[in-house]
Amino acid sequence: MTPIRVMVIDDSAVVRQVLTGLLAQAPGIEVMAAVADPLLAIERLKLDWPDVIVLDVEMPRMDGITFLRMVMQQRPTPVVICSTLTDKGAKTTLEAMAAGAVAIVTKPKVGLKQFLSEAADELLTTVRAAAKANVRRLAAGRPQPVVPVAKHTADVILPPTTRAMTQTTERVVALGTSTGGTQALEEVLTTLPRVCPGIVIVQHMPEKFTAAFAARLDSLCQISVKEAENNDRVVPGRALIAPGGRHMLLKRSGAQYFVEVIDGPLVNRHRPSVDVLFRSVAKSAGANALGVIMTGMGDDGAAGLLEMRNVGARTAAQDEDSCVVFGMPKEAIKRNAAEKVLPLAGIGPEIQRQLGM
């Protein structure tokens, strides 16, 4: 098997040393270069091109964002951002991801060497997944999260769905996505008219990113988009995005829907988890819902989408050609959880069609 060839770009000698050691020891991965800044990387790229680039954001001589844009214009390549995130830096890193990076690995300001060693499995999983990304979709990529280590099912948050809710006039759309999803969500949500059913979304993202991402979408869409807060109402014309680092559940009181935002264990290696959201939608909305699983690595959301279908909800999955990573939709299709398989451009119209808009 041909190894995944990786270039590391980071001005920290410690980071370069540790990352090179971790990657070089992993089966099927080869570090082709480790350089201190983008200008050195540009010279190295004239000789050879990697399968994956691991990139810092704040570096001397040229910042990572500028370099990333150059790469995406010249030759779209899977890029993993490995950056220290602060309240100020989160916006900068989000901008870098909007330029086309496929995943985020956050690194602390202190205890860096120990952190990178302890996060070895996470780093290797991310690099391997990035290498499989659909590079045709990367040129217009957006911020993506990293996949954590532990794995639970949605049972640790709420019990399995046993029945559907009775029919009401209120409809709910539930969207779940991961790698490639921020771009996909932008394409879908910007097509929706101001009057549309309430939408609940899980996009795998770290803490501090979802608020900025929601604010960006809110500025682009006719509908209102916000990072969800506990007890927020799910109302027509509004999309609620689960905050990074917390699960989001749909609840129902009479004819009204609202969300509950809670802590809890990682589910399918994620918090927020698509399975948790989809199961809660199956339980609280039943046949009154439409669930769509979109681009992303892993299998989070497949089981929950099947639960939604089993209680009468309409369900769909994004097709392979329009995904950055086909993992989550592929697993849902494999389990017969999706009634329809749609290109990204067909998801917005499907939302309007299925919900009588």
Side-chain angles (χ1 to χ4, degrees), residues 211 226-234 238-243 246-249 258-262:
K226 73 181 294 282
E227 181 185 58
E229 298 177 82
N230 197 43
N231 293 321
D232 271 349
R233 285 277 311 280
V234 179
R238 172 196 273 182
L240 299 175
I241 299 179
R246 305 192 74 189
H247 292 299
M248 183 173 74
L249 291 75
F258 65 97
V259 294
E260 183 179 10
V261 178
I262 65 171

Side-chain angles (χ1 to χ4, degrees), residues 63-133:
D63 64 89
I65 298 173
T66 301
F67 173 75
L68 179 58
R69 287 172 178 156
M70 290 175 58
V71 168
M72 289 304 166
Q73 289 176 0
Q74 181 177 350
R75 183 171 170 178
T77 303
V79 174
V80 175
I81 294 294
C82 188
S83 176
T84 300
L85 300 181
T86 63
D87 289 339
K88 180 179 179 181
K91 183 177 181 180
T92 302
T93 307
L94 186 61
E95 184 181 358
M97 298 300 294
V102 72
I104 299 171
V105 175
T106 59
K107 60 185 183 184
K109 287 186 174 180
V110 295
L112 182 59
K113 188 172 183 179
Q114 179 181 355
F115 166 79
L116 290 174
S117 297
E118 292 175 350
D121 289 342
E122 176 183 323
L123 289 165
L124 297 175
T125 297
T126 303
V127 167
R128 289 192 173 104
K132 297 178 181 178

Side-chain angles (χ1 to χ4, degrees), residues 161 163-165 167 171-174 250 257 277-292 304-316 336-340 350 354-355:
T161 305
R163 65 182 179 87
M165 297 295 293
Q167 187 79 14
R171 300 289 189 264
V172 177
V173 178
L250 182 73
Y257 295 107
L277 175 63
F278 281 0
R279 174 174 288 184
S280 72
V281 172
K283 185 180 292 290
S284 295
N288 305 309
L290 167 65
V292 183
L305 194 70
L306 181 58
E307 290 187 47
M308 289 184 64
R309 186 173 188 184
N310 287 340
V311 297
R314 320 313 301 183
T315 60
N336 199 33
E339 291 180 298
K340 294 185 177 182
E350 182 68 15
Q354 288 288 356
L355 299 174

Side-chain angles (χ1 to χ4, degrees), residues 258-335:
F258 65 97
V259 294
E260 183 179 10
V261 178
I262 65 171
D263 296 318
L266 300 172
V267 173
N268 295 323
R269 304 190 179 100
H270 294 284
R271 187 177 52 239
S273 162
V274 181
D275 263 340
V276 170
L277 175 63
F278 281 0
R279 174 174 288 184
S280 72
V281 172
K283 185 180 292 290
S284 295
N288 305 309
L290 167 65
V292 183
I293 193 163
M294 299 165 66
T295 175
M297 65 182 76
D299 61 1
D300 188 32
L305 194 70
L306 181 58
E307 290 187 47
M308 289 184 64
R309 186 173 188 184
N310 287 340
V311 297
R314 320 313 301 183
T315 60
Q318 186 178 347
D319 72 0
E320 182 174 7
D321 189 59
S322 65
C323 285
V324 170
V325 177
F326 190 47
M328 287 164 50
K330 181 179 180 180
E331 186 63 26
I333 294 166
K334 178 181 175 182
R335 299 188 191 193

Side-chain angles (χ1 to χ4, degrees), residues 124-147:
L124 297 175
T125 297
T126 303
V127 167
R128 289 192 173 104
K132 297 178 181 178
N134 183 347
V135 293
R136 291 179 301 160
R137 303 291 306 178
L138 287 177
R142 295 294 190 269
Q144 308 307 321
V146 68
V147 181

